Amino acid sequence: MKQQLYNLVQTPLPTKHGDFILHYYSSNLDDKEHIALVKGDVAGRNNVPVRIHSECFTGDVLGSRRCDCGEQLDLAMQIINEAGFGILIYLRQEGRGIGLLNKLRAYNLQDQGMDTVDANIELGHLADEREYSIAGLILENLQVTSVELITNNPKKIAALEKMGVTVAKRIPVEAVAHHDNIDYLKTKAKKMAHLLFEPKNKKK
C-alpha cells in the first residue's frame, strides 16, 4: 500500500509561545489525527528547527509531574518561537504507542516498583512502540529535508535519517528533574539511551 498523507486544514493559531499555522493531517496509515504547528516560511529551507512530539494527555494537558512531556512541549515551542521559524509535529501515539488505557495501567505497575520499560513489557507491549513514518511524510509535505531536531532521543534521529531526512544538529530539550520524575528520567537514560544528564559542554 502506498503511503498517502492528506493536509486537510490549515489555520492560524496564536499561542502563549507565539503565532503558528496549525496543519491538520490524516493518512491511510492509521485512523488518527496528527498535527503540525508551523512557524514562519519553512518550505525549501535548510536546518529547520523541528520537534516530533508524541501525545501525552497526562503531561501535555493535565501537567502531570510523572514525566517530562509537558515541559518538553513548552520548551520546544519556545525554541521554535525564538528561532523565528520551525515545526512542531504532534503525533497521536499516547504512552509510547500503547495508548492511554495501558499507560495508566503501567502507572499502577510503576507504583508497585517497576520502571516504565518493565511495566510496558509486563503488559505485553514493547518498551517503545512509537514510529515516525508519518512525521517523515509531514516533513515531505512541508518541503523540509534538513532539520535541527529538538530531542534527547537518538531513535528519532535514526528514524528520520532512515527516511532520507538530514538531521544537521540535535537541540537538547531537558526538563528539570525532581522527586516525581527522576526515576522516569533515569530509566530513559539507562534503558532507552536518551541523552540526559550530560555535562553541558558535551551536548551536540
Side-chain angles (χ1 to χ4, degrees):
M1 180 179 65
K2 182 180 179 181
Q3 296 180 340
Q4 292 184 316
L5 184 77
Y6 309 97
N7 189 343
L8 298 179
V9 177
Q10 307 85 46
T11 188
L13 189 74
T15 78
K16 66 179 181 180
H17 299 299
D19 295 337
F20 294 80
I21 301 296
L22 187 152
H23 295 245
Y24 175 109
Y25 289 96
S26 68
S27 77
N28 64 347
L29 300 180
D30 60 31
D31 59 356
K32 299 177 181 178
E33 306 159 329
H34 304 284
I35 66 170
L37 287 177
V38 180
K39 186 173 188 68
D41 185 7
V42 298
R45 198 163 180 176
N46 291 324
N47 303 343
V48 176
V50 171
R51 167 70 179 171
I52 301 174
H53 190 89
S54 296
E55 178 182 26
C56 177
F57 171 74
T58 49
D60 298 341
V61 178
L62 301 181
S64 168
R65 289 170 56 87
R66 298 183 72 127
C67 64
D68 60 343
C69 302
E71 290 94 334
Q72 284 190 318
L73 181 62
D74 279 344
L75 288 169
M77 292 181 70
Q78 289 176 30
I79 290 169
I80 291 169
N81 188 50
E82 290 169 5
F85 72 111
I87 305 165
L88 186 139
I89 297 173
Y90 196 88
L91 299 180
R92 307 300 296 275
Q93 41 188 6
E94 178 79 46
R96 296 181 186 153
I98 69 173
L100 181 58
L101 175 60
N102 281 317
K103 185 176 84 168
L104 299 180
R105 288 170 173 162
Y107 278 176
N108 287 336
L109 292 175
Q110 292 162 35
D111 290 341
Q112 296 169 23
M114 292 187 182
D115 62 33
T116 54
V117 168
D118 290 340
N120 279 21
I121 292 171
E122 177 68 18
L123 291 170
H125 293 278
L126 301 177
D128 188 347
E129 296 188 357
R130 291 174 294 179
E131 70 94 31
Y132 302 102
S133 60
I134 288 180
L137 293 174
I138 289 174
L139 290 174
E140 181 181 357
N141 177 262
L142 295 172
Q143 301 177 50
V144 171
T145 59
S146 172
V147 307
E148 294 184 357
L149 196 61
I150 304 169
T151 188
N152 306 318
N153 184 357
K155 182 177 179 181
K156 289 182 184 179
I157 297 173
L160 286 190
E161 289 179 337
K162 186 176 181 180
M163 289 182 281
V165 178
T166 298
V167 180
K169 177 182 176 181
R170 180 182 75 88
I171 301 175
V173 57
E174 290 192 40
V176 175
H178 50 73
H179 172 75
D180 294 311
N181 72 7
I182 186 64
D183 290 338
Y184 166 87
L185 294 174
K186 286 180 176 178
T187 298
K188 287 210 293 188
K190 182 178 179 180
K191 291 192 172 183
M192 304 182 75
H194 284 217
L195 303 171
L196 297 168
F197 308 111
E198 295 186 308
K200 299 295 182 184
N201 62 356
K202 288 189 178 181
K203 289 179 182 174
K204 297 180 181 179

